[in-house]
Amino acid sequence: MGRLRTERIDKWVRGRLGDTLVVETRDPLLVWPGAFPPVYGFALTEVAAGVLRPASGSSYAGEWFFGPHLPVAQWYDVVVDDAVVECGAWTLEDLPERVMLTWEPGVLAWTEEDEPVGLHARDPHQRVETLRSSRHVEVLVGDVVVAASDRPVLLLETRLPTRYYLPREDVRLGLLEPTENASACPYKGTADRYWTFPGPPELVNVAWSYSSPLPAVAEIADRIAFYNELVDLRVDGVLLERPESPFSRAEQRPGGERGVRSA
């Protein structure tokens, strides 16, 4: 199922259920459960008294992305007054001295120092960079040119394909249908606008935009990007090969069967 990796990191990390602080540490341990993004492993003494209750169940009821991906030693319910998050915390067989709490959206609110962070803990080895460019970029679905621009901003992120963020005026929005989908990224913020290409073929939530990205990637604000995995990209006249990434699978994409991540 994967190999456990851990690393200490110098951050003040807090998790809240509603208005109640349920966990706090200034000496967090990052835990990579196999190939998945990291979560924090806390000492039991860093969890507020009475918050953890051994669970009567034995499995995680939330989205698979946010639950454990290695064998569990003990499940806990997270309890604050009348609020109960069933199986919202666990220890792993390979790390029984540390407890992990869910990052399921809408459950716990997490901060690193005083900055909110969603989806999962930030990976200190993940690089995100934006570059303004004058390359000519075309986005095609079959023979239909959906967007064309000489003013892309390239976003390069570790382990993901280069994304081309294009000015809105260079995208043929009349060919797309807006959706109510949204997704979170700990490095870029909240992608709060999505579009579907109605087809044929229908490409659900194939394009997205950040109206207020995090400062590190401010250059992509209000620009639109497309999944390279689903459309054809022609850059300076060269048709790019479609990449393989986690987002090649529908269940990983926002708006897919279980997808909640942002590209």
Side-chain angles (χ1 to χ4, degrees), residues 98-121:
R98 293 277 174 163
V99 62
M100 278 134 274
L101 286 79
T102 179
W103 285 66
E104 185 86 26
V107 181
L108 298 184
W110 292 97
T111 54
E112 295 176 342
E113 298 299 328
D114 291 333
E115 292 190 3
V117 60
L119 190 66
H120 59 77

Side-chain angles (χ1 to χ4, degrees), residues 1-210:
M1 294 182 68
R3 183 174 63 87
L4 188 72
R5 181 166 65 91
T6 63
E7 181 179 326
R8 290 192 178 276
I9 191 166
D10 183 20
K11 287 183 180 178
W12 179 21
V13 176
R14 288 165 286 178
R16 292 178 172 84
L17 181 58
D19 296 328
T20 301
L21 184 68
V22 298
V23 63
E24 178 178 18
T25 182
R26 289 172 170 79
D27 184 29
L29 184 73
L30 272 176
V31 179
W32 285 264
F36 289 85
V39 295
Y40 286 112
F42 300 96
L44 288 172
T45 55
E46 295 170 336
V47 183
V51 164
L52 296 182
R53 181 179 69 192
S56 57
S58 60
S59 64
Y60 182 68
E63 295 281 357
W64 69 276
F65 182 80
F66 302 98
H69 300 283
L70 292 173
V72 171
Q74 174 66 57
W75 290 98
Y76 294 94
D77 294 336
V78 179
V79 182
V80 174
D81 298 327
D82 294 331
V84 179
V85 182
E86 295 183 357
C87 293
W90 54 86
T91 57
L92 298 175
E93 290 182 359
D94 291 340
L95 196 66
E97 71 277 11
R98 293 277 174 163
V99 62
M100 278 134 274
L101 286 79
T102 179
W103 285 66
E104 185 86 26
V107 181
L108 298 184
W110 292 97
T111 54
E112 295 176 342
E113 298 299 328
D114 291 333
E115 292 190 3
V117 60
L119 190 66
H120 59 77
R122 292 186 177 117
D123 187 334
H125 306 289
Q126 185 91 354
R127 181 181 71 94
V128 181
E129 177 185 6
T130 59
L131 295 169
R132 287 190 174 270
S133 176
S134 57
R135 296 194 199 191
H136 183 70
V137 178
E138 292 177 288
V139 179
L140 302 98
V141 178
D143 295 329
V144 178
V145 177
V146 180
S149 180
D150 294 315
R151 301 173 294 163
V153 168
L154 279 58
L155 188 140
L156 297 90
E157 184 171 354
T158 305
R159 295 185 293 274
L160 286 176
T162 299
R163 302 300 190 196
Y164 296 85
Y165 282 81
L166 310 180
R168 289 173 63 90
E169 55 269 28
D170 292 347
V171 178
R172 299 176 66 188
L173 288 173
L175 298 178
L176 305 174
E177 296 177 350
T179 76
E180 295 183 357
N181 195 65
S183 64
C185 173
Y187 311 106
K188 299 186 289 291
T190 298
D192 51 357
R193 298 171 186 167
Y194 273 83
W195 292 267
T196 286
F197 183 81
E202 182 184 31
L203 301 176
V204 177
N205 294 321
V206 69
W208 67 91
S209 179
Y210 292 81

